[in-house]
């Protein structure tokens, strides 16, 4: 603000974002609404570790759509299989063959390092399927249905 700018310079945007996120996390712990337990001893370092770091892998080895989900999960867990553009924990949210979203149990979320990145509820897959089926059935526009399914 001293320089008359509202936003930080792009050259230190990650550093400022990390500080802001660490302060928000500190407030969440002080208010009792943080979901990661126990609280990391060094919040700024933890936040920096969890931040997305762009790393570009080899895009010529995509997972085939018909690949068996369990085999894909096993390959990724042991470090084999195709490379992804996501940090290890984020692949469980962004890689369709691995993502269970709110169907991850709290124990799975802690073990995979994704607790706090999903709503604090656990739903079984049947509930999620039922919710999506209801949402699709209420939409009359075919293009909007397609866009919902493509997410």
């Amino acid at each position: 603000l001293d320089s008359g700018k509202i936003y930080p310079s792009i050259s230190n945007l990650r550093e400022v974002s990390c500080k802001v996120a660490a302060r928000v996390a500190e407030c969440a712990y002080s208010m009792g609404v943080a979901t990661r337990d126990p609280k990391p001893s060094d919040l700024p370092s933890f936040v920096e570790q969890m931040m997305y770091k762009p790393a570009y892998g080899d895009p010529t080895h995509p997972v085939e759509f018909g690949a068996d989900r369990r085999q894909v999960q096993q390959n990724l867990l042991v470090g084999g299989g195709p490379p992804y553009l996501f940090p290890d924990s984020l692949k469980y949210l962004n890689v369709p063959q691995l993502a269970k979203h709110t169907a991850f149990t709290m124990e799975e979320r802690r073990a995979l390092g994704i607790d706090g990145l999903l709503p604090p509820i656990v739903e079984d897959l049947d509930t999620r399927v039922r919710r999506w089926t209801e949402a699709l059935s209420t939409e009359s526009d075919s293009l909007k249905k397609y866009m919902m399914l493509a997410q």
Side-chain angles (χ1 to χ4, degrees), residues 112-123:
L112 298 173
I114 58 173
D115 55 325
L117 301 177
L118 293 167
I121 61 166
V122 176
E123 299 176 305

Side-chain angles (χ1 to χ4, degrees), residues 30-150:
S30 68
M31 294 169 60
V33 295
T35 58
R36 178 176 277 277
D37 191 36
K39 175 183 171 184
S41 58
D42 184 2
L43 268 176
S45 295
F46 175 76
V47 168
E48 185 176 2
Q49 175 189 353
M50 296 303 291
M51 285 177 73
Y52 176 75
K53 295 172 185 67
Y56 302 100
D58 182 354
T60 62
H61 295 90
V63 172
E64 294 181 24
F65 287 107
D68 177 57
R69 182 184 177 103
R70 286 201 173 115
Q71 185 59 51
V72 171
Q73 287 175 327
Q74 185 59 33
N75 285 347
L76 291 173
L77 289 173
V78 298
Y84 285 96
L85 306 181
F86 306 106
D88 282 345
S89 57
L90 292 184
K91 69 186 172 192
Y92 296 101
L93 302 176
N94 296 306
V95 176
Q97 291 84 353
L98 300 175
K100 294 182 353 184
H101 306 287
T102 54
F104 281 113
T105 66
M106 292 301 181
E107 293 78 24
E108 289 174 319
R109 295 174 190 199
R110 278 189 214 69
L112 298 173
I114 58 173
D115 55 325
L117 301 177
L118 293 167
I121 61 166
V122 176
E123 299 176 305
D124 60 29
L125 287 172
D126 291 336
T127 302
R128 295 190 68 232
V129 168
R130 191 171 35 259
R131 190 165 29 93
W132 270 96
T133 303
E134 289 171 10
L136 283 171
S137 68
T138 61
E139 182 56 62
S140 60
D141 186 305
S142 296
L143 180 59
K144 288 183 181 177
K145 282 183 180 182
Y146 174 80
M147 291 170 56
M148 288 172 70
L149 290 169

